[in-house]
Amino acid sequence: MFSTALPTRKRRRPEVAFNQGREEVKFGDVKVYLVERRMGKSRRNFLSNLARSKGFCVDDALSGNVTHVVSEGNAAQELWNWLEEQGFGEMQDKHVLNVSWFTESMSAGRPVPVELRHYIQNPAADQRSCAHPSAKPESAVSPYACQRRTTMDNHNKIFTDALEVLAENMEFSGNQGPCLAFRRAASVLKSLPAALQCLEEMHRLPCLGEHSKAIVEDIFECGSSSRVEEILNDEKYRTMKLFSSVFGVGPKTAESWYYRGLRTFEQVLTEPSIRLNRMQTAGFLFYEDISKPVSRTEASALKIIVEEAVICVNPHATVNVAGGFRRGKEFGHDVDFIIKTPEPGQEDAILPAVIERFKSQNILLYSDFQESTFDLKQMPTHQFEAMDHFSKCFLIVKLKREQESRERETDTGASRDWKAVRVDLLAPPVERYAYALLGWTGSTLFERDLRRFARLERGKLLDNHVLYDKATKTFLPASTEEDIFAHLGLEFIEPWQRNA
Ligand code: UTP
Ligand code: MN
């Protein structure tokens, strides 16, 4: 029989007291997390093993599945500050408990019902609930974008636009860390079902660091942020923004042009020492058109053109929209299509034939075709690569203008009956289709958090090609996006809810 007296931290314990690895979970509804802070590592290990030996499920990470957080020796305020830093919020089905609940459960050999005396209350909770009449106890917001539903309805645009200016400014100066922090903060605000009502509400949100909070506070109090105004007027920011708006010009090139004293397109184009590559040349040549957003109507017209070309090569292949348009955006900087062939191996023939057809139709303005370098034997890769290995092409094509929009455009001098549009085509092997579709649907931050969640919370590696389980060293099969979410133990998030 187990004695209710738990060992204290000081006493030495036998190392192999429990049959590790053979425990079966008896209480599936309860997932315990022991806070290591103040408890200490060895005592935490001991208690974890003890609980597991009694059929309790103990999570080593503070994941979204944890139902019972158990703390020992922490002051309530300290504990809650720490929990909030981890992105853990108050929710009805989550209990933050004193170790007494754990001790009693151990001696009972089952999870005892949680009583009021077990709880560690959040001291700030009372002050924080907004004095808003309709303020309900809010459900916690996940720190992972793949656990939030983010539609195109952004109720906090005034804050997120500002935070994205800061993110972009950081990206332009090569500060990836702060850039990501601002993007994450903006993303959390985008997922909220309503506009922020009060600053207290902001303090409950995960992923908002000091700097992001200060910006939100400024806007809350003054309607604008002087820091954002400063950036928007900054010469370097403005120049970087202008140069990197050109197809083929990334932040590195933009910066090198800036440091050479160049400020306008004209200066770049007349500078004898600058050699533009093929992509940049096309970027300048069609700048007027491709810097304008592509509409949903234009995307639909392009889909028909791509479909016609694809069906000529393989009548059973299908074309699907990915990228921002699949997420319900009304406008995009390009149109992303992903092609699905019925049989493995058929994907290789598609894109070269589509490109040839566009050429013969005289609608191809630029094309960069990249052959597949995909090899399952090289998977999984532990470092995420920005570019995947599938057969793909980056194109600029002529899209016939509608009569009425042509009439509108004549005022601005455009007499052509076409508009240059950026199109990306992807043709993955059919057994990779689900991963590729998920990867190419975005948003970029949603994808990033899916991979981060898979790795940190589930011990799995996800990219555009595979989902790999590190524990069993196996690839997890998926023929739909739903399969992938299910493997990750995530609720399915619809494409239009991925605008993180
Ligand atoms: P886009 O850059 O087209 O973004 O990439 P978007 O969300 O459609 O936005 P707009 O409206 O065009 O501006 C679409 C998705 O494809 C992925 C990106 O990560 C993004 O999620 N992608 C793109 C890849 O995974 N690999 C690539 O080589 C290119
Ligand atoms: Mn796109």
Side-chain angles (χ1 to χ4, degrees), residues 323-325 327 329 331-334 336 384 386-388 392 394 424 439-444 447 464:
F325 286 110
R327 303 196 307 272
K329 278 175 72 174
F331 295 97
H333 95 283
D334 67 356
D336 308 282
F384 178 75
M387 196 72 96
D388 61 48
K392 64 172 80 63
F394 306 108
D424 289 347
W440 276 70
T441 297
S443 68
T444 310
E447 302 300 329
N464 287 6

Side-chain angles (χ1 to χ4, degrees), residues 43 204 367 429:
R43 178 163 165 80
R204 302 165 66 99
S367 148

Side-chain angles (χ1 to χ4, degrees), residues 83-277:
L83 285 171
E84 274 164 12
E85 274 166 32
Q86 313 305 306
F88 183 93
E90 282 149 287
M91 282 207 325
Q92 281 194 330
D93 59 340
K94 293 191 189 296
H95 307 287
V96 176
L97 306 171
N98 196 284
V99 75
S100 59
W101 171 82
F102 184 89
T103 321
E104 289 165 30
S105 298
M106 289 305 108
S107 59
R110 60 178 168 77
V112 297
V114 175
E115 292 171 32
L116 209 53
R117 63 189 170 86
H118 294 129
Y119 279 107
I120 304 177
Q121 301 280 2
N122 184 353
D126 292 346
Q127 293 140 253
R128 278 178 188 182
S129 59
C130 296
H132 200 251
S134 65
K136 291 186 222 82
E138 265 171 276
S139 63
V141 176
S142 171
Y144 290 103
C146 56
Q147 290 186 306
R148 303 191 292 259
R149 294 175 198 273
T150 315
T151 65
M152 287 297 298
D153 277 330
N154 178 359
H155 303 281
N156 288 284
K157 198 164 184 312
I158 165 169
F159 306 115
T160 60
D161 281 354
L163 290 166
E164 276 167 355
V165 168
L166 284 137
E168 203 174 25
N169 186 49
M170 285 298 162
E171 186 177 28
F172 288 161
S173 42
N175 295 314
Q176 293 310 320
C179 166
L180 188 57
F182 286 126
R183 290 213 195 283
R184 283 200 196 294
S187 174
V188 164
L189 293 172
K190 281 185 195 173
S191 76
L192 300 181
L196 271 185
Q197 293 293 329
C198 56
L199 284 174
E200 286 70 24
E201 201 184 327
M202 169 184 82
H203 290 290
R204 302 165 66 99
L205 298 172
C207 308
L208 268 80
E210 291 294 300
H211 297 285
S212 297
K213 283 181 182 161
I215 300 294
V216 173
E217 268 174 37
D218 279 353
I219 298 173
F220 226 104
E221 281 155 15
C222 322
S224 67
S225 150
S226 54
R227 177 69 195 122
V228 173
E229 299 301 318
E230 213 175 279
I231 294 170
L232 289 172
N233 288 312
D234 178 63
E235 192 181 26
K236 180 172 178 193
Y237 173 84
R238 295 169 73 104
T239 311
M240 293 287 291
K241 182 121 180 124
L242 177 71
F243 288 168
S244 56
S245 73
V246 178
F247 175 54
V249 180
K252 288 240 167 63
T253 308
E255 190 170 45
S256 87
W257 292 350
Y258 174 79
Y259 283 122
R260 288 159 81 168
L262 307 171
R263 297 293 179 267
T264 65
F265 286 167
E266 202 192 338
Q267 288 169 352
V268 171
L269 294 170
T270 54
E271 167 59 50
S273 67
I274 286 184
R275 277 243 157 279
L276 300 177
N277 63 27

Side-chain angles (χ1 to χ4, degrees), residues 353-370:
V354 168
I355 291 169
E356 277 314 308
R357 188 178 151 90
F358 285 177
K359 257 189 220 163
S360 70
Q361 292 175 318
N362 191 30
I363 58 168
L364 191 69
L365 296 167
Y366 170 87
S367 148
D368 173 10
F369 169 63
Q370 308 199 347

